[in-house]
Amino acid sequence: MLIFKLAFRNILRQRRRSLLTALSMAGGYMLFVFSMSLLEGSWTNVVDIFTLDHTGHVQIHKDDYAKRPKIYKTITDRDSVESVLTGNEGVKGWAPRVYSTALAYGGDKTSIAQIFGIDVTLEPSVTRIKQKVTEGIYFDNQPDADGYAKAMIGRGLANILKLNIGDEIVLISSGADGSIANDVFVISAIVGNTTSFDRLGVFLPITVAQRFLSIDADVHEYALLARDKHANERLARSLQLALPQLKVSPWQEIEATFYRTMQSDKQSNYFTMGLIVFIVFVGVLNTVLMSVLERTKEFGVLRSIGCRPSELVKLIFIETVMLAFASILAGLVLILPVIMWFTNVGLKLDIAFDMGGVVFDTMKGDFSAYVIFMPMGFMLLTAALISLPPGLRAARILPREAMGSH
Amino acid sequence: MTTVIETRELVRKFGSGETQVTALNEVSITIRKGEFTAITGPSGSGKTTLLQLIGGLDEPDAGDVFLSGSNIAKMSGSELSDFRRDHIGFIFQSYNLIPVLSAEENIEYIMLLQGISAKIRQSRVREMLALVGLEGMGDRRPANLSGGQQQRVAVARAMASKPDIILADEPTANLDSKTGIALLDVMRQLNQQMDMTFVFSTHDHKIMDRADRLVHLEDGVIHLDESRSV
Ligand SMILES: Nc1ncnc2c1ncn2[C@@H]1O[C@H](COP(=O)(O)OP(=O)(O)OP(=O)(O)O)[C@@H](O)[C@H]1O
Ligand SMILES: [Mg+2]
């Protein structure tokens, strides 16, 4: 097509100027992609850390248990919930849970403790509980030789109560029926560290916890992992439809404060990048406008020989978008290895920090269509818009400028 | 013979008040198909202005221009644009080829605007290049052509759309007299071979001598309008 040839050669006409314009656009694009990659990468990392540590991608509760947990707000019709979960393609794994608080005694020490009743076999399909065992071995449902049920306790609790593997721990709490619950358990493992969210936790096999709290076979929560973690909100909605009697919440609702922080951090990055793109394109606008004014006579000639004004708008549009596209592609080629390295290897941080017992020590990038094409689309759109004022300026050039005698 | 250009009492003024100039003052002229007309007159007499009004590049303050019977004042902007594309060819003093396009592409571009198919465009480009004596130079950029060659390309470009009229504002002014005369001979030949109507302005006596009609302007008024046999 002659018009593309014309546009292309017009770009090459002022090589140095086009190159500088292209560099600014390529630079803007690279910065945009890089910041998006790191931002998406770090947040995904953090979200993975807590969803795989305990939250899961979606949770199911009775009424408002998530906000106001009460021991009696239990899910009783477990069969129907579990058949829905098992039957849903989008669910990768699920596990039932029971919660309560208790007083814990070890020797002459005492502490507050949180009881987590978990399904010994299902829980590892949702969380990294097995990997969090730092001492001893992951427990099972079998009582020990003396008939005591096994428990795993958080590192914080172990420190306070000065307990080790094989020691006994006494828990006192109240059952759902108001009765006093107390029992002795034997420690099979210590999990996490002193900053983990479950540092004061006591993990019990779920049936043991149910008996201890007198809640029959009922549970307080189902946590589940989505097959596609990015589609967890959609999964929550579809499960909610199937389970109208219960409350299904994506992690975004469970960790609402965190989610808001994350969103506003992302928004402030969009804003910064928008500003950078804006600055880049103010320069581009200026250059394109200049190139149009320089070609006043030429456009006058084109108008004289019968070029419609719209033809000139089209020409400037093609020139601008073509240059932007080429710049973005060049930027992509340069930034691709960088974000691939950040995604696959990542930058080791000098100071590792601990998030809920999981160490966060590498700055990771994200490598996805979104990170590459969102900035690309945004910048191409901006280029298209920015070509309009110079294009309209060119269209207004009078055909008699071609004579150029005055 | 059919009339292709008719102007009726064309008036064009520039500026206002004290400094107002009347570039054309009630100019009426009729040009028939196949005529080879030279517009002459001293600098500032209104030659360029007249050609611009005839070609629809500018609007008169009063009077009308009829091209092949249509009043161009009645046309909208894009109608006029299309009319120029399909019915008028322009040749400028300073050639005004598109510098980034080759000779061929310069000629082709206007046909592209007309929506002519690639095959016909290609064959017509070759035909036009041959007519102006530039066979084999089609892929050169204007910068690699001499002034006379560039102006021949401009003539070919003006002819390519098969217009009714070709308007040329001092087409030879930037050329030495030998080259200028050679160019004019090319135009004359096209005029005779293809019965194409040419209107051009000039200062040069040797050029005027080749026209079969001389329209002499002074201060925006036609002083002399003579037909002659060459
Ligand atoms: N755009 C304009 N603005 C102001 N005055 C103009 C303009 N165009 C033409 N004029 C004036 O109109 C008159 C006629 O100008 P025109 O260019 O038609 O003369 P010309 O015969 O072509 O002259 P030349 O031989 O120098 O090319 C001149 O006095 C000129 O100054
Ligand atoms: Mg003039």
Side-chain angles (χ1 to χ4, degrees), chain B:
Chain B
M1 278 211 277
T2 42
T3 299
V4 284
I5 302 170
E6 186 184 354
T7 73
R8 285 189 200 154
E9 301 184 341
L10 278 185
V11 178
R12 180 67 168 106
K13 296 177 176 162
F14 290 104
S16 57
E18 292 275 294
T19 58
Q20 194 177 57
V21 195
T22 305
L24 289 181
N25 198 358
E26 304 195 344
V27 171
S28 299
I29 185 173
T30 303
I31 294 174
R32 282 178 300 277
K33 183 165 170 57
E35 273 189 318
F36 198 64
T37 307
I39 314 250
T40 66
S43 188
S45 58
K47 303 183 293 295
T48 299
T49 308
L50 179 58
L51 287 171
Q52 284 180 341
L53 291 180
I54 292 176
L57 301 184
D58 194 9
E59 285 169 25
D61 294 301
D64 288 300
V65 177
F66 293 87
L67 297 179
S68 308
S70 331
N71 187 344
I72 64 170
K74 297 258 147 54
M75 296 180 190
S76 72
S78 62
E79 272 174 353
L80 188 56
S81 201
D82 291 355
F83 189 87
R84 278 199 302 269
R85 181 190 69 197
D86 298 334
H87 299 280
I88 309 173
F90 286 96
I91 300 167
F92 306 92
Q93 177 178 334
S94 44
Y95 329 133
N96 288 356
L97 299 176
I98 305 302
V100 293
L101 295 183
S102 68
E104 275 173 357
E105 290 163 342
N106 263 284
I107 300 168
E108 190 186 346
Y109 189 64
I110 188 163
M111 292 187 276
L112 189 81
L113 295 176
Q114 286 181 304
I116 293 174
S117 77
K119 228 174 110 190
I120 298 178
R121 289 203 306 264
Q122 294 307 325
S123 75
R124 214 188 279 174
V125 163
R126 272 194 301 279
E127 179 195 346
M128 292 301 148
L129 278 173
L131 280 177
V132 297
L134 288 178
E135 298 101 325
M137 298 204 197
D139 52 5
R140 292 210 201 166
R141 296 270 182 102
N144 299 323
L145 292 168
S146 71
Q149 290 168 333
Q150 286 186 57
Q151 199 62 307
R152 282 165 192 242
V153 175
V155 171
R157 172 175 71 180
M159 303 274 303
S161 58
K162 306 245 154 153
D164 305 330
I165 316 152
I166 289 186
L167 303 175
D169 191 26
E170 311 211 28
T172 60
N174 284 13
L175 304 174
D176 63 67
S177 79
K178 209 171 128 234
T179 319
I181 288 168
L183 181 91
L184 212 82
D185 287 342
V186 169
M187 285 167 53
R188 183 71 177 148
Q189 215 182 330
L190 293 171
N191 159 252
Q192 286 171 343
Q193 275 175 13
M194 314 182 77
D195 202 24
M196 176 73 74
T197 313
F198 276 81
V199 183
F200 57 95
S201 66
T202 184
H203 280 299
D204 189 333
H205 284 282
K206 290 201 206 83
I207 302 290
M208 295 175 210
D209 288 346
R210 287 173 149 71
D212 46 31
R213 182 174 172 191
L214 268 185
V215 175
H216 188 76
L217 281 176
E218 246 168 66
D219 292 332
V221 176
I222 296 180
H223 261 235
L224 191 79
D225 183 350
E226 53 173 358
S227 293
R228 33 203 245 161
S229 44
V230 203

Side-chain angles (χ1 to χ4, degrees), chain A residues 344-355:
Chain A
N344 297 324
V345 183
L347 185 69
K348 273 257 179 274
L349 296 176
D350 284 345
I351 336 151
F353 52 100
D354 191 299
M355 292 190 99

Side-chain angles (χ1 to χ4, degrees), chain A residues 160-307:
Chain A
I160 295 170
L161 301 182
K162 305 223 178 318
L163 291 175
N164 285 308
I165 307 299
D167 291 348
E168 287 170 6
I169 182 169
V170 177
L171 295 180
I172 299 183
S173 185
S174 57
D177 54 4
S179 63
I180 301 281
N182 66 69
D183 213 336
V184 180
F185 305 92
V186 60
I187 296 166
S188 79
I190 293 174
V191 296
N193 58 28
T194 51
T195 59
S196 307
F197 101 104
D198 45 17
R199 60 191 169 276
L200 294 180
V202 177
F203 291 88
L204 300 175
I206 193 161
T207 44
V208 174
Q210 283 160 336
R211 209 178 322 114
F212 182 69
L213 298 170
S214 318
I215 52 171
D216 303 328
D218 301 347
V219 300
H220 289 123
E221 172 177 295
Y222 280 94
L224 56 103
L225 285 188
R227 207 165 289 282
D228 175 5
K229 65 182 173 188
H230 301 293
N232 80 312
E233 286 173 293
R234 187 146 33 92
L235 177 63
R237 278 194 297 277
S238 84
L239 291 173
Q240 182 66 82
L241 285 178
L243 300 166
Q245 73 282 15
L246 297 172
K247 175 83 182 81
V248 183
S249 323
W251 68 257
Q252 288 88 340
E253 277 172 31
I254 303 292
E255 301 285 347
T257 319
F258 166 84
Y259 184 62
R260 272 196 302 275
T261 312
M262 179 178 97
Q263 291 301 84
S264 76
D265 184 47
K266 285 187 181 181
Q267 267 151 21
S268 79
N269 186 58
Y270 293 154
F271 182 79
T272 314
M273 287 304 126
L275 204 66
I276 286 173
V277 169
F278 176 78
I279 292 168
V280 165
F281 276 97
V282 166
V284 176
L285 173 65
N286 186 45
T287 310
V288 179
L289 208 51
M290 197 155 73
S291 85
V292 165
L293 294 179
E294 279 169 6
R295 288 182 281 168
T296 296
K297 184 159 182 172
E298 201 170 308
F299 290 146
V301 172
L302 289 175
R303 291 283 288 113
S304 320
I305 67 173
C307 221

